[in-house]
Amino acid sequence: MALTNPINPVNPLPMGPWKITVYDQEYFQGKRMEFTACCQNIMECGMENILFPKPGGLGMGFQEELILHSSFCGQQFVLEKGDYPRFEAYSGSNSYRIERMISFRPICSAYHKESRMTIYEKENMIGRQFELSDDYPSLQAMGWFNNEVGSMLIQSGAFVCYQFPGYRGHQYILESDCHGGEYKCYREFGSHSQTPQIQSIRRIQH
Amino acid sequence: MALTNPINPVNPLPMGPWKITVYDQEYFQGKRMEFTACCQNIMECGMENILFPKPGGLGMGFQEELILHSSFCGQQFVLEKGDYPRFEAYSGSNSYRIERMISFRPICSAYHKESRMTIYEKENMIGRQFELSDDYPSLQAMGWFNNEVGSMLIQSGAFVCYQFPGYRGHQYILESDCHGGEYKCYREFGSHSQTPQIQSIRRIQH
């Protein structure tokens, strides 16, 4: 039975014509809930178990890119529109198996007309640098000298950065609208980040 | 100690200025071998265990995109230039844990100037269709009506097709130079394919 969650008045992010349907069992079985606004804590809505999202939309131009946060390890996952029947479908490789997805929100920065960022060799935006406004399945193939990035500045839009080439491994979602777009060291890439290893980067765009 | 494998005279694929270094232990430890040509069977070269590749190159313009094939499940993995310290680093999500990587070769189709393909609703290139010449982290966000693709025609270049959105799940490498670029049903997507579920597609390009 579908339940619609009202807008959270404490956190007035845009509601737009988007929705996500979550299930507490694999393959879209079990208890189901629909959301059309971000959700700070799924637990408060009565969902206790693993969530299997099915991002969808009510029409054209909806915000289908979402971020899902887990409660235990602080992992982030970007979700594009489509079906994710199992945990592994959205977690990608190298993720900690977790029991709970705690919150999700749309990526508002993805609405900017363009996506532009700069990667730096060292922390605090110093050292060698390179400006990106495209997708790079391999930073080293582009000419970056290393398998690490010291710091990043997101001038416009939103990007997903990955630990390994080919968009694999831990993913970090970086946005121009979050703390001024500045990510001064690897600890700021995401709450689960443990190394500065970044080997592929792509844009999140509508 | 690095050993260089000579060109396999039975399979005269271009040798070009590229190389891959493989290790039989995680984190680039253990026995190491370098290859500058494709390899039909790693076992013949004395490597028996899990391989951890480190694709690299000797200069600009090398063929850094490789395909790795596993021996047991027929899985394919595309490797861009960079470091893959563990199996999960190149396997992505939803892969069968395997003990052996049996062969690898460069993706020659990736040298075409452009990448262009058509996806079809049904097998044998019929039904609704859509032409792609870009990267699509979500086919449904682009307007495709389904989480499946019946058949595909690769007119030019090479693509990786994924089971889930955001380039996750099983990956299938499709090339214009392989059997005329025609993939008439899901069983032809790859020897490990079990469903027609395809939700994201991206180009493989130099």
Side-chain angles (χ1 to χ4, degrees):
Chain A
M1 185 175 168
L3 305 173
T4 304
N5 202 33
I7 304 171
N8 182 340
V10 177
N11 201 12
L13 281 174
M15 199 180 80
W18 64 273
K19 75 177 177 185
I20 177 171
T21 308
V22 294
Y23 300 78
D24 72 348
Q25 292 178 28
E26 291 188 343
Y27 299 100
F28 314 115
Q29 304 295 315
K31 190 159 153 187
R32 168 188 156 194
M33 295 187 70
E34 272 187 18
F35 296 87
T36 53
C38 65
C39 177
Q40 296 283 75
N41 192 335
I42 292 268
M43 305 277 285
E44 292 170 2
C45 306
M47 291 290 254
E48 292 173 3
N49 295 321
I50 299 170
L51 300 179
F52 300 95
K54 194 180 165 80
L58 307 173
M60 295 292 293
F62 50 81
Q63 291 163 291
E64 69 275 346
E65 278 77 34
L66 302 177
I67 294 184
L68 236 60
H69 286 260
S70 79
S71 63
F72 290 171
C73 309
Q75 295 185 88
Q76 302 177 346
F77 305 109
V78 63
L79 299 188
E80 286 92 350
K81 186 181 180 190
D83 298 341
Y84 300 83
R86 298 189 303 279
F87 171 75
E88 289 78 14
Y90 57 82
S91 63
S93 63
N94 209 35
S95 303
Y96 308 114
R97 177 81 196 192
I98 57 172
E99 289 304 304
R100 290 176 185 162
M101 280 300 186
I102 206 70
S103 66
F104 49 78
R105 62 170 176 87
I107 303 176
C108 301
S109 301
Y111 273 107
H112 292 205
K113 281 198 164 58
E114 61 158 359
S115 299
R116 199 159 41 84
M117 69 174 285
T118 305
I119 57 175
Y120 298 86
E121 171 190 3
K122 298 179 198 289
E123 295 184 354
N124 296 307
M125 285 66 160
I126 58 176
R128 273 179 271 198
Q129 65 185 46
F130 192 85
E131 185 167 308
L132 289 73
S133 54
D134 203 338
D135 295 351
Y136 291 95
S138 166
L139 292 180
Q140 292 190 51
M142 167 194 79
W144 190 246
F145 68 102
N146 204 354
N147 63 10
E148 295 180 357
V149 171
S151 54
M152 300 189 259
L153 177 64
I154 317 301
Q155 284 102 343
S156 174
F159 290 81
V160 193
C161 304
Y162 297 79
Q163 190 180 5
F164 303 123
Y167 313 124
R168 299 172 172 105
H170 284 307
Q171 51 186 276
Y172 311 112
I173 296 154
L174 307 188
E175 305 163 77
S176 58
D177 295 340
C178 286
H179 43 97
E182 296 185 352
Y183 296 83
K184 299 195 178 87
C185 64
Y186 74 86
R187 286 172 293 279
E188 295 183 5
F189 296 169
S191 50
H192 61 295
S193 59
Q194 295 180 351
T195 79
Q197 189 173 53
I198 302 282
Q199 300 197 67
S200 54
I201 297 179
R202 66 179 176 96
R203 302 156 296 169
I204 305 173
Q205 285 182 321
H206 293 279
Chain B
M1 185 174 167
L3 304 173
T4 303
N5 201 35
I7 304 172
N8 181 340
V10 178
N11 200 14
L13 282 175
M15 200 178 77
W18 65 272
K19 75 176 178 185
I20 177 172
T21 309
V22 295
Y23 299 78
D24 72 347
Q25 293 179 27
E26 290 187 345
Y27 299 99
F28 315 116
Q29 305 293 314
K31 189 161 156 186
R32 167 188 157 192
M33 296 188 70
E34 272 188 17
F35 295 87
T36 54
C38 65
C39 176
Q40 296 283 76
N41 190 335
I42 291 268
M43 305 277 284
E44 292 170 4
C45 307
M47 292 289 254
E48 293 175 4
N49 295 320
I50 298 170
L51 300 180
F52 301 94
K54 193 180 166 83
L58 307 172
M60 294 291 292
F62 50 81
Q63 293 165 287
E64 69 274 346
E65 278 78 35
L66 303 177
I67 294 184
L68 236 61
H69 287 259
S70 79
S71 63
F72 290 170
C73 308
Q75 296 184 84
Q76 301 177 350
F77 305 110
V78 62
L79 299 188
E80 287 92 350
K81 185 181 181 189
D83 299 340
Y84 300 83
R86 299 189 302 279
F87 172 75
E88 289 77 16
Y90 57 83
S91 62
S93 62
N94 209 35
S95 302
Y96 307 114
R97 177 84 196 190
I98 56 173
E99 291 302 308
R100 291 178 183 158
M101 280 300 186
I102 207 69
S103 65
F104 49 80
R105 61 169 177 85
I107 303 176
C108 301
S109 301
Y111 273 108
H112 292 205
K113 281 199 163 60
E114 60 157 0
S115 300
R116 199 159 41 84
M117 68 174 285
T118 305
I119 56 176
Y120 297 86
E121 172 189 1
K122 299 181 198 289
E123 296 184 354
N124 296 307
M125 285 66 160
I126 57 176
R128 273 178 271 200
Q129 66 186 47
F130 191 86
E131 185 167 308
L132 288 74
S133 53
D134 202 339
D135 295 351
Y136 291 95
S138 166
L139 292 180
Q140 292 190 51
M142 166 195 79
W144 189 247
F145 68 102
N146 203 354
N147 63 10
E148 293 180 357
V149 171
S151 54
M152 299 190 260
L153 177 65
I154 318 300
Q155 284 101 343
S156 173
F159 290 81
V160 193
C161 304
Y162 297 80
Q163 190 179 8
F164 303 124
Y167 313 124
R168 298 172 175 105
H170 285 307
Q171 51 185 274
Y172 311 112
I173 298 155
L174 306 188
E175 305 163 78
S176 58
D177 296 338
C178 286
H179 42 97
E182 296 185 353
Y183 297 82
K184 300 195 178 85
C185 64
Y186 74 85
R187 285 172 294 279
E188 295 183 6
F189 296 170
S191 50
H192 61 294
S193 59
Q194 297 180 349
T195 79
Q197 190 173 51
I198 302 282
Q199 300 196 67
S200 54
I201 297 179
R202 66 178 176 97
R203 300 156 297 169
I204 307 173
Q205 283 182 321
H206 292 278

